[in-house]
Amino acid sequence: MADALPSECLMFDRGVKAVRSRGSNAEIEFENGDREVFDLVIGADGIDSRAREAVDGGESPPKYSGIRIVFGCTPAGSTARAASEMNIAHQWFADGAYMLVFTGGGEGAQNKQHNIALCVQDKTKRDENTAWRAKAAAKEEAVALMREKGMPQSAIDVAEACDRFFDVGVHYHDVLDSWSDDAGTISLVGDACHAMPPFLGQGANQAMQDALCIASELSKVGAEYDTVKQALRAYEGIRKPPTAAIMQSSRFIGALETGAGPVSLFRDVAFFMAGTLGITGKVFLSGALPRFEGKA
Ligand SMILES: Cc1cc2nc3c(=O)[nH]c(=O)nc-3n(C[C@H](O)[C@H](O)[C@H](O)COP(=O)(O)OP(=O)(O)OC[C@H]3O[C@@H](n4cnc5c(N)ncnc54)[C@H](O)[C@@H]3O)c2cc1C
């Protein structure tokens, strides 16, 4: 992709400090103090987006979901999971917790890497950790939590074999009223626009669909649309309904999966029924189906 662009199109190591609408165009102020003016700025700068602040005036910052995820990864070649399990993801549910054990990596057992993701309700405000800084102390905490929650020994064994841990406080956005500024010079894609809890595995998928959709609609300016603003409205009209629905359902699924007390009992029965009737697969597939074509 990079090779397909003129070399001056890609710039690296230029942190964005602020994005501002200037009526007929938008200005980016970089962290080094430089300022540049653009016809259109599309913010793909993640959950703490600077471009989003220019669109909503800083009115809708990310919110903490009350769920913390501790990730652990083994070194490649670890034998913490049996070869027969490497193509299977295991999930376990407990009172106020949910966990996943899965294997990734390249071809061959020597390249396989096992992972745990322990999701627990935790009302203390947890850092988003968007930079994915490793946290060695999380290992002891994760193993203790897994024991406390009654997770199986096979999962604890994988956690014990992990040598890198990451502690993430799950954050999300509320649905944004408008995805672009009034003038149509700043718009948003991906987490900048609609960060969602990861419980349907849809954040990156939706970001890619946004990118394809906005590019497609902008390519119609001069044909179907007279102005960029009209194209941005069409993009929002196509992408807002499906992403808003997934934002709500991923919050609901996260709360249900990590539910405590009576919620966990309800969850166990509901998930058993939903799995047996094939509903779980449909919910996950429905979120994953591409929805970026058609005109608003
Ligand atoms: C624990 C967890 C598990 C997840 N699991 C899944 C999953 O299974 N499937 C899935 O589809 N999604 C998953 N997601 C969500 C997925 O990671 C995000 O939705 C996706 O990365 C969003 O892509 P993006 O390009 O919009 O933003 P990001 O990936 O956040 O990229 C933003 C980019 O902008 C840069 N940036 C930010 N601010 C500035 C600035 N001021 N100046 C310059 N550059 C800046 C950042 O460095 C980064 O490169 C998960 C998320 C989490 C937290």
Side-chain angles (χ1 to χ4, degrees), residues 14-16 31 44-46 50 69 71 132 168 189-192 198 201-205 207:
R14 295 194 82 189
V16 171
E31 281 168 359
D45 48 345
R50 297 282 92 91
I69 305 182
F71 276 95
W132 288 84
V168 175
V189 294
D191 274 14
Q202 278 304 309
N205 289 341

Side-chain angles (χ1 to χ4, degrees), residues 5-6 11 25 33 45 75 100 104 119 123 130 133 140 188 197 208 215 218 228 232 235 251 257 262 279 287:
L5 292 168
M11 290 183 270
N25 50 38
D45 48 345
L100 190 63
C119 313
K123 298 301 170 205
T130 46
R133 287 178 308 276
E140 212 174 304
L188 305 168
M208 286 188 278
L218 285 170
V228 167
L232 295 178
Y235 155 66
R251 276 174 61 190
E257 284 182 338
I279 296 169

